[in-house]
């Protein structure tokens, strides 16, 4: 199906709505965003209400190009400039010291602001016509998977949004890489399509991922008392001090509603072989052993490419589809090690974080 991409009339309407304090969902190359005029605190406040997102989670301000960086950032480090030059427009968010006039509702009262210049032509057209910053989180309800199609946005947010701009399936498919360049050594707060290796190459220093149990970079957190930390515990000392906390929250995740488990290929094969009669799994193989499960028609089997970028592109759409398939659990093969898989591995671990349970018994079905 060839969906029409938003044209000039849609962009003009979107700009009009944004100027009046409206909410416009728009495509980016990573995921769809839920946008409001970043200078209008009431409009930005509506984003939090529509998403059901706690006010303690800052929003990214989207800009048409890097020349507007000084309107939002108080200082721009050498590292920030190098990364902006190398990767903007593109799937990279830079955390910088904020200017005092950036609305508190955007930054959640922190002393930094997240900035990103998206590459998607519809996002570019919108930002250029609007000629200002658009604050936008992913256009999903709090705790759910990010949308990579306009249809996902409509399904999640429906009438709560004033307009959804169509832009086809998102090319990258997972959220932007977030790099804190506000002070000291650059630190990746959320892995993405732009890998630590690519960042390190540009900066000439080794850049590390610092993901915390109470992670910034993730707005979609598990309800209190449910989740286990998805990843290694916080660093210590100065680095940990730099990480803004989201009080009262546990490990963040991007999760389908169906329990999801991440398993190595051998364990996955064994789980399939030992599955009680009444249990139906959705099985996501990252290319390796799909044939082993294909024989059993009870399960939904999805073989994915060995190419991490292709897997990222379809990841959320696939999980949404499997979520709707009425299976007991989604079992996913653990991605291989290495920088090129870091973003997919990170999202899958977060999706799995809520569901540290033993294999299902017959009662589970
Ligand atoms: O690809 C993306 O980044 C998408 C598209 C729409 O641009 N946006 C996105 O926004 O994923 P969101 O809000 O779902 O996730 C961005 C995360 C927030 O949860 C927040 O933790 C982090 O970025 N963030 C924003 N400003 C920050 C700041 N000043 N310091 C630390 N983290 C920040
Ligand atoms: Mg989000």
């Amino acid at each position: 199906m060839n969906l029409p991409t938003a044209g000039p009339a849609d962009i003009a309407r979107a700009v009009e709505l944004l100027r009046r304090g409206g909410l416009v969902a728009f495509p980016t190359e990573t995921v769809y965003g839920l946008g409001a005029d970043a200078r209008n605190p009431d409009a930005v406040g509506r984003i939090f209400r529509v998403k059901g997102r706690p006010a303690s989670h800052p929003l990214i301000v989207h800009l048409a190009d890097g020349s507007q960086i000084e309107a939002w950032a108080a200082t721009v480090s050498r590292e920030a400039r190098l990364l902006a030059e190398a990767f903007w427009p593109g799937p990279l968010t830079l955390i910088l010291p904020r200017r005092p006039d950036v609305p508190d509702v955007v930054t959640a009262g922190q002393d930094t602001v997240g900035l990103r210049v998206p590459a998607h032509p519809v996002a570019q057209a919108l930002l250029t016509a609007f000629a200002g910053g658009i604050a936008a989180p992913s256009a999903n309800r709090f705790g759910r998977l990010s949308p990579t199609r306009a249809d996902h946005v409509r399904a999640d947010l429906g009438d709560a949004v004033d307009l959804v701009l169509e832009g086809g399936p998102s090319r990258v498919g997972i959220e932007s890489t977030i790099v804190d360049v506000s002070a000291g050594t650059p630190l990746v707060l959320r892995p993405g399509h732009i890998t630590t290796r690519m960042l390190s190459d540009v900066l000439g220093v080794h850049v590390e991922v610092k993901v915390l149990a109470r992670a910034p970079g993730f707005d979609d957190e598990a309800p209190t008392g449910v989740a286990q930390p998805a990843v290694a515990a916080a660093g210590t000392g100065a680095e940990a001090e730099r990480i803004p906390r989201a009080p009262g929250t546990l490990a963040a995740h991007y999760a389908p509603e169906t329990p999801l488990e991440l398993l190595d290929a051998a364990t996955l094969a064994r789980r399939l072989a030992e599955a009680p009669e009444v249990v139906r799994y959705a099985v996501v193989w990252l290319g390796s052993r799909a044939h082993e499960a294909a024989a059993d028609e009870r399960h939904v089997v999805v073989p994915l490419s060995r190419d991490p970028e292709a897997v990222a592109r379809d990841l959320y759409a696939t999980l949404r589809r499997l979520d709707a398939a009425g299976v007991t659990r989604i079992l996913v093969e653990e991605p291989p090690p290495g920088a090129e898989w870091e973003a997919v591995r990170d999202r899958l671990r977060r999706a799995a974080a809520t569901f540290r349970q033993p294999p299902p018994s017959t009662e589970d079905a």
Side-chain angles (χ1 to χ4, degrees):
M1 184 169 52
N2 253 340
L3 291 164
T5 290
D10 305 302
I11 298 294
R13 205 173 137 229
V15 168
E16 173 67 23
L17 283 164
L18 289 172
R19 296 223 163 101
R20 292 208 312 254
L23 298 189
V24 174
F26 62 98
T28 85
E29 71 275 30
T30 57
V31 301
Y32 278 67
L34 176 61
D37 177 358
R39 296 278 182 201
N40 180 338
D42 292 337
V44 175
R46 255 186 86 196
I47 291 179
F48 286 87
R49 286 198 297 282
V50 163
K51 271 190 71 102
R53 171 164 163 149
S56 55
H57 295 255
L59 302 181
I60 296 169
V61 177
H62 297 71
L63 306 172
D65 61 75
S67 71
Q68 298 173 39
I69 197 168
E70 264 102 11
W72 301 87
T75 54
V76 184
S77 61
R78 183 182 147 271
E79 287 84 0
R81 289 210 188 278
L82 286 171
L83 295 179
E85 264 167 41
F87 299 115
W88 280 355
L92 177 73
T93 296
L94 297 176
I95 306 297
L96 290 156
R98 68 183 272 195
R99 279 179 51 131
D101 56 353
V102 179
D104 277 338
V105 63
V106 171
T107 65
Q110 297 184 35
D111 54 7
T112 54
V113 63
L115 300 177
R116 166 157 127 80
V117 176
H120 193 291
V122 172
Q124 274 289 321
L126 177 67
L127 286 159
T128 303
F130 183 63
I134 298 179
S138 53
N140 53 285
R141 295 224 187 254
F142 187 67
R144 305 307 322 282
L145 299 163
S146 293
T148 54
R149 315 268 191 277
D151 276 351
H152 297 168
V153 180
R154 290 188 200 100
D156 272 13
L157 300 178
D159 293 342
V161 187
D162 297 309
L163 178 66
V164 181
L165 292 175
E166 180 65 61
S170 296
R171 175 170 58 79
V172 172
I174 53 172
E175 306 78 0
S176 62
T177 307
I178 301 181
V179 187
D180 185 348
V181 279
S182 65
T185 315
L187 212 53
V188 174
L189 303 185
R190 181 173 71 184
H193 178 84
I194 295 176
T195 62
T196 48
R197 190 177 299 154
M198 292 158 76
L199 297 166
S200 302
D201 283 350
V202 167
L203 295 178
V205 295
H206 183 68
V207 178
E208 292 203 44
V209 181
K210 196 55 102 182
V211 188
L212 304 182
R214 296 161 183 251
F218 298 91
D219 64 320
D220 299 330
E221 310 223 353
T224 305
V226 176
Q228 295 300 313
V231 282
T236 50
E239 269 176 359
E241 285 303 301
R242 278 173 56 198
I243 307 294
R245 301 302 158 114
T249 53
L250 286 170
H253 72 293
Y254 291 71
E257 281 183 292
T258 312
L260 182 147
E261 285 185 80
L262 204 50
L263 305 166
D264 65 75
T267 309
L268 216 169
R270 198 170 61 244
R271 286 283 293 279
L272 275 181
E274 293 168 0
E277 281 290 311
V278 289
V279 168
R280 266 183 84 224
Y281 287 126
V283 184
V284 180
W285 298 92
L286 296 169
S288 61
R289 302 163 72 155
H291 58 279
E292 290 183 26
D296 193 337
E297 285 174 6
R298 177 159 47 115
H299 308 298
V300 182
V301 179
V302 183
L304 291 181
S305 155
R306 284 178 193 279
D307 168 12
E309 296 189 355
V311 170
R313 190 177 304 134
D314 287 332
L315 185 66
Y316 291 149
T318 302
L319 292 180
R320 277 174 186 262
R321 186 157 56 80
L322 296 180
D323 218 5
V327 296
T328 315
R329 287 204 191 181
I330 303 171
L331 306 182
V332 184
E333 182 188 347
E334 173 102 35
E340 62 278 15
W341 284 98
E342 70 196 2
V344 167
R345 200 164 45 235
D346 173 87
R347 299 308 188 276
L348 286 173
R349 285 190 182 161
R350 287 171 186 283
T354 325
F355 304 109
R356 297 274 159 73
Q357 296 161 9
S361 66
T362 48
E363 281 137 49
D364 253 345

